[in-house]
Amino acid sequence: MLLPVIMAGGTGSRLWPMSRELYPKQFLTLHGDHSMLQETVLRLEGLDTRQPLVICNEEHRFLVAEKLRQIDKLSQNIILEPVGRNTAPAIALAALSAIVDGDDPLLLVLAADHVIGDEKAFHRAIMQALPYARSGSLVTFGIVPSAPETGYGYIQRGAAQKEAEVLQVHRFVEKPDLATAERYIASGDYYCNSGMFLFRAKKYLSELGKYRPDILSACEKTIESPQADSNQEFIRVDKDEFITCPDDSVDYAVMEKTADAMVVPLDAGWSDVGSWSALWEVNQKDERHNALTGDVFLHNTANCYINTDEKMVAAIGVNNLVIVNTKDAVLVVDKDKAQDVKKVVEYLKSHARSEYRRHRESYRPWWRNDTVVNEARYNVNRITVKPGGMFSLQMHHHRTEHWVVLSGTARVTVEDNAFLLTENQSTFIPVGSVHTLENPGKIPLELLEIQSGSYLGEDDIIRLKDPYGRC
C-alpha cells in the first residue's frame, strides 16, 4: 500500500487577499467542491493507499484537522512542524515516522495546493512508477509542458527504460528565461518539475544521509527527543531540535545528486495555481471567457476572473481583470500582472497591517470567529461553535464579555454557576471571572460576543484548562 505524504505548509501570498498566512491557499476552495488539501486527498481514491500523512505548520493544526475530519480522513496523521525548514526535512520527518514500527512503505509525496484535471492519467502515472520505486528508484513526475514556462524548474530526460513512459533523469535545471524555455519545449526532452515523488521511506533516508547527513541527523534527533509526542490528532516534534535543522528542498538535497532518479511524464491537466491568472486558466468559464465565483453581475465584460465573498460585484465594460472581494479587502489587477500581487503583501508586512496574516474570519478548534466590529475599546464577534465544541476554561484581566445566542443552545459556566442559554437569551462575563462555553446540541451554535475593556488582545486570554492542548 502507498503512504501518501501531503505537504501542507506555505503561505500562498500570490493569491492574496483570499490566501493569507493563517489561512493559505491549500485550505481554500478555489477549484472543485472541496479545499485544495481535501481535493489532494480525495483524488487518491481508486488507489491502494493508507490514510494520508499530512505535514503542516503548528499554526495551521486545527485547520488541517477540521479539513481532514470533514472528509473522514483524520486518524492521528498530522505531523506538526514548529518552523518551516523546506521539503527535504519535512519528507524526512514523514519517512522517519513511517519506519518506526520496522515498516518500509512507499511514500507518495504530494503538495496540498496543486490542481490535477485528469485523475485517471494521474493514477496511470503512479502505477507506471510503482515497480521502479519498489526496486529502489526515486521517481519524480515530470509535467509535459504545453507552452514555455519560466516559473518552474525543468527536468531533462535521459534514457528510457523497458517501458517508454519511465525514463532516467539526466539533470535538473533551474527556472529558465523565456528563450531557454522555448528551446526546452522545442527539443521535447524537458519536463516541468512538479514537486511530486514516489520512493521507499528507507531509500529516501539513505540518500539523504549520503548527501545531507546534517539534515538527517537533525531530523532523527527531532523525532527521538523526549519532547516529541503524539497528542490527539497531532504528531509533535521537538521544537528546539528542529530549529537547528538546515533548510533545503528535496530537489537540492537529494534528487539532483542521486544516481537513482527516474522521471515519469505526466500529462494530466496539472497546475500549481501560483497566481490568479493560473487559477483563471484552470476554472470553468462562460461564453466570454469569464471565470466567476459568487454573486456577480456582468455587462460587456470578457476574460476576467471574479471571486466575491458575500457582497455582490458588478463589472461593466472591462477586460482581462482579476477582481477578488473578501470581507476586509478588494483586489483589482490586470490578469497579465497577477504576479505583482506580492507587492501588496510586502506593503502590508512593512506597515504592520494585519491583512497579510489573517482574515476578518478566523478558525479555531471549536470552529470559527468573525470579527464584525474591531475598535480600540470594543469588539463585536460573530461566533460559531460546532456540536460538541467548547471554549477553554479561561479568564480575562482587562475585558468584559456579553454573549447573545442567535441560534442553538449554549451551556455556559461562570465561576461555579452553570446554566443553559437558547435563542435570544444572553449573559454577562465580568472582568476576572473564570468562565467557559460549550455547544451540547446537535446543530451549530451561533452567538454574538461583545468585548469591552481597556485591552482586547489575544494574550489576555488566560487559559486554565483546555480540551485542545493550548494551555
Side-chain angles (χ1 to χ4, degrees):
M1 295 176 70
L2 295 171
L3 174 58
V5 175
I6 300 175
M7 295 179 288
T11 58
S13 60
R14 289 178 293 176
L15 292 183
W16 185 90
M18 290 193 70
S19 178
R20 307 193 188 183
E21 275 195 6
L22 293 182
Y23 204 101
K25 70 172 182 175
Q26 57 267 32
F27 307 122
L28 297 170
T29 301
L30 296 172
H31 183 270
D33 298 325
H34 298 84
S35 72
M36 299 190 77
L37 169 61
Q38 292 170 329
E39 292 280 351
T40 302
V41 175
L42 293 173
R43 75 170 60 104
L44 297 171
E45 291 182 359
L47 295 172
D48 189 14
T49 68
R50 305 182 189 182
Q51 287 281 66
L53 193 58
V54 180
I55 307 170
C56 71
N57 189 280
E58 177 92 19
E59 288 187 316
H60 300 147
R61 64 193 185 280
F62 298 119
L63 192 50
V64 171
E66 181 61 25
K67 295 297 183 184
L68 293 180
R69 184 181 290 111
Q70 288 172 1
I71 57 173
D72 196 27
K73 296 294 183 179
L74 181 63
S75 58
Q76 199 177 7
N77 54 339
I78 303 171
I79 297 179
L80 302 181
E81 287 185 298
V83 293
R85 284 294 180 264
N86 217 318
T87 53
I91 298 170
L93 293 181
L96 289 166
S97 176
I99 66 171
V100 165
D101 296 328
D103 199 2
D104 185 19
L106 286 160
L107 305 184
L108 177 61
V109 180
L110 307 170
D113 57 357
H114 291 175
V115 167
I116 293 179
D118 188 343
E119 291 185 5
K120 291 183 179 179
F122 176 58
H123 289 188
R124 284 197 300 271
I126 292 170
M127 298 307 294
Q128 290 163 0
L130 270 174
Y132 293 90
R134 286 196 187 104
S135 62
S137 294
L138 288 85
V139 184
T140 186
F141 297 89
I143 304 303
V144 178
S146 58
E149 294 282 356
T150 59
Y152 305 130
Y154 281 74
I155 302 168
Q156 185 179 14
R157 68 184 190 182
Q161 301 303 295
K162 293 179 181 178
E163 298 180 38
E165 295 86 356
V166 183
L167 308 118
Q168 292 179 338
V169 171
H170 179 64
R171 63 171 180 149
F172 287 79
V173 293
E174 297 295 326
K175 297 175 182 178
D177 57 27
L178 182 58
T180 304
E182 289 173 343
R183 192 167 65 251
Y184 289 168
I185 300 301
S187 74
D189 291 335
Y190 290 82
Y191 306 108
C192 294
N193 188 353
S194 70
M196 300 187 292
F197 308 93
L198 180 64
F199 40 61
R200 286 203 178 275
K202 290 182 180 178
K203 176 64 176 182
Y204 173 74
L205 294 172
S206 173
E207 295 297 282
L208 184 64
K210 185 185 302 183
Y211 300 111
R212 289 303 304 266
D214 52 341
I215 292 178
L216 179 59
S217 176
C219 290
E220 287 173 337
K221 292 176 182 176
T222 295
I223 289 285
E224 294 167 359
S225 169
Q227 300 301 315
D229 71 282
S230 298
N231 176 30
Q232 298 178 13
E233 305 79 20
F234 308 121
I235 302 169
R236 282 187 165 86
V237 301
D238 183 75
K239 180 177 181 179
D240 293 336
E241 291 287 356
F242 196 64
I243 286 174
T244 68
C245 183
D247 181 309
D248 205 357
S249 71
V250 61
D251 293 316
Y252 286 139
V254 174
M255 295 303 294
E256 293 186 7
K257 299 180 175 69
T258 182
D260 296 320
M262 307 290 291
V263 59
V264 174
L266 178 63
D267 189 1
W270 175 91
S271 173
D272 70 347
V273 286
S275 67
W276 289 115
S277 57
L279 194 57
W280 172 82
E281 289 175 358
V282 300
N283 270 301
Q284 289 187 342
K285 304 171 188 67
D286 65 14
E287 65 278 2
R288 301 201 66 183
H289 306 291
N290 298 297
L292 309 173
T293 301
D295 189 6
V296 180
F297 169 81
L298 300 180
H299 176 68
N300 195 25
T301 291
N303 303 307
C304 290
Y305 178 91
I306 303 176
N307 190 321
T308 178
D309 182 5
E310 291 190 338
K311 293 186 289 294
M312 175 186 175
V313 167
I316 301 172
V318 296
N319 180 62
N320 207 52
L321 291 183
V322 170
I323 303 172
V324 181
N325 170 66
T326 68
K327 291 180 178 180
D328 61 351
V330 177
L331 170 72
V332 181
V333 61
D334 186 301
K335 188 147 53 69
D336 295 335
K337 303 293 184 183
Q339 296 289 350
D340 289 341
V341 170
K342 61 185 179 183
K343 296 184 182 298
V344 182
V345 178
E346 291 167 0
Y347 167 83
L348 294 172
K349 286 183 176 181
S350 66
H351 287 76
R353 298 274 301 255
S354 65
E355 292 95 334
Y356 84 90
R357 181 165 168 78
R358 59 171 57 88
H359 286 275
R360 198 185 84 177
E361 186 174 77
S362 59
Y363 282 75
R364 312 296 173 87
W366 36 262
W367 212 352
R368 60 177 178 261
N369 178 84
D370 185 3
T371 302
V372 181
V373 178
N374 185 11
E375 299 291 343
R377 293 187 63 88
Y378 66 90
N379 288 338
V380 179
N381 300 315
R382 180 170 179 169
I383 289 174
T384 308
V385 184
K386 63 188 175 184
M390 64 182 67
F391 294 175
S392 58
L393 184 66
Q394 59 187 260
M395 62 166 288
H396 313 294
H397 290 301
H398 302 285
R399 73 176 186 238
T400 64
E401 294 178 339
H402 193 138
W403 293 339
V404 182
V405 175
L406 303 176
S407 64
T409 300
R411 180 183 291 123
V412 178
T413 302
V414 182
E415 297 295 347
D416 295 325
N417 184 22
F419 51 93
L420 294 176
L421 294 178
T422 57
E423 186 174 328
N424 292 326
Q425 294 181 325
S426 64
T427 191
F428 178 73
I429 313 296
V431 171
S433 295
V434 176
H435 61 281
T436 187
L437 173 147
E438 64 178 301
N439 179 1
K442 295 183 178 180
I443 64 171
L445 164 65
E446 299 272 354
L447 66 146
L448 283 183
E449 177 187 67
I450 299 95
Q451 302 174 343
S452 179
S454 59
Y455 180 72
L456 306 175
E458 286 284 303
D459 54 354
D460 189 37
I461 301 176
I462 312 302
R463 291 189 174 93
L464 307 175
K465 185 178 180 181
D466 183 61
Y468 310 107
R470 294 174 296 170
C471 291

